[in-house]
Amino acid sequence: MKVIVVGGGKVGYYLSQTLVSHGHRPYLIEKDRAICEELADKLDLPVICGDGSTLVTLELAHASEADSLIAVTGKDQDNLVACQLAKKRYNIPKTISRVNNPKNTGVMKLFGVDIAISGTDNIAKLLEREVDTAAIKQLLSINSGQASISEFVVPEDYIHHGKTLLQMKLPDQYIIVSIIRNGTLLIPRGNTQILSGDKVIVLCDDSVVHDLSKNFGLESLPETKNEIKKNTEDI
């Protein structure tokens, strides 16, 4: 697969290196000539010195032949323009953009970027999941992290022990896929009871993971949260 990487900083360098090791054909674009010379010495791939948010430079990278474009510069506006040109001018199927300011994530998606990746948002989500939902094990991430398939064990002395799924009135944003009880797989229906010790597989929108944790009594103990918070502050 031919991939254009816009931005030759640390992210662009290691990304290009990884793409090569996985059998892809990256073209790396970087504005700074000194950095370009250094990258050309280190990487066995085409390095183009120029502005990746301009047609002239994208033409030099043979953008019309690319399968995807990944913009990872330190400026969100440059990343957005590069992705827009890739889509509208060259019909590149997949565009991915690094988002330096998390507030710009929505704008990126609104203007056609297929995948907008904010490192700050991703780290925050990971920390929140570890602190508040440590009892929920994620099995598979879906749609670039917007949803996931996860599993958890219903705790002992669960306050809703014996209630049916219908009685629990669970939110629409998550669906109980299956329940394993005493080694037997159950396909849940509205009249299926939830019992302490059940292993539950759930399809869940990541925006309601905390509600899921609360509904099934999976919140971390306060002392555990404080310990994780202290360890985070020490880093």
Side-chain angles (χ1 to χ4, degrees):
M1 181 171 70
K2 178 177 176 180
V3 183
I4 295 176
V5 178
V6 180
K10 287 184 178 179
V11 176
Y13 170 75
Y14 288 111
L15 174 60
S16 298
Q17 195 175 50
T18 301
L19 288 169
V20 170
S21 67
H22 289 181
H24 301 294
R25 297 179 293 114
Y27 278 57
L28 181 55
I29 297 174
E30 168 56 40
K31 285 183 180 181
D32 190 295
R33 183 167 295 278
I35 294 176
C36 285
E37 292 175 355
E38 183 180 352
L39 292 171
D41 289 337
K42 291 182 177 179
L43 298 171
D44 184 20
L45 54 86
V47 177
I48 298 155
C49 189
D51 185 347
S53 61
T54 64
L55 292 173
V56 173
T57 304
L58 290 174
E59 286 287 350
L60 291 174
H62 305 288
S64 59
E65 303 170 7
D67 300 294
S68 62
L69 180 141
I70 307 174
V72 292
T73 77
K75 295 183 178 180
D76 288 347
Q77 61 268 33
D78 288 350
N79 293 340
L80 177 58
V81 171
C83 288
Q84 285 185 312
L85 288 175
K87 276 285 187 187
K88 295 180 179 180
R89 183 61 180 260
Y90 298 104
N91 297 314
I92 295 177
K94 180 71 69 175
T95 57
I96 302 171
S97 176
R98 171 188 180 185
V99 183
N100 299 280
N101 184 342
K103 294 181 180 179
N104 293 333
T105 304
V107 175
M108 292 282 194
K109 293 180 179 179
L110 181 64
F111 283 95
V113 176
D114 294 315
I115 301 175
I117 301 173
S118 167
T120 303
D121 280 346
N122 289 342
I123 291 171
K125 287 179 181 178
L126 286 171
L127 285 174
E128 287 174 355
R129 179 179 287 275
E130 289 299 317
V131 173
D132 292 332
T133 61
I136 301 176
K137 179 182 177 182
Q138 187 180 79
L139 302 178
L140 178 66
S141 178
I142 299 174
N143 197 25
S144 303
Q146 293 182 10
S148 60
I149 295 176
S150 304
E151 73 173 18
F152 61 87
V153 176
V154 179
E156 296 298 324
D157 302 320
Y158 179 46
I159 59 172
H160 297 304
H161 174 87
K163 282 189 176 181
T164 65
L165 292 175
L166 192 60
Q167 290 173 326
M168 292 181 66
K169 298 180 180 178
L170 300 175
D172 294 336
Q173 288 87 347
Y174 54 84
I175 299 170
I176 306 300
V177 177
S178 67
I179 298 171
I180 299 174
R181 180 178 300 157
N182 299 323
T184 301
L185 177 68
L186 305 176
I187 303 301
R189 299 289 186 269
N191 60 355
T192 302
Q193 292 178 305
I194 293 293
L195 305 180
S196 296
D198 284 348
K199 179 182 284 188
V200 178
I201 307 294
V202 60
L203 172 60
C204 177
D205 188 300
D206 271 18
S207 65
V208 294
V209 169
H210 301 303
D211 293 332
L212 174 69
S213 179
K214 182 178 179 181
N215 284 341
F216 286 92
L218 304 172
E219 297 99 333
S220 299
L221 295 175
E223 54 267 29
T224 303
K225 289 186 179 183
N226 292 336
E227 181 180 347
I228 295 175
K229 182 178 179 182
K230 180 180 182 300
N231 290 339
T232 304
E233 291 172 349
D234 291 341
I235 295 176

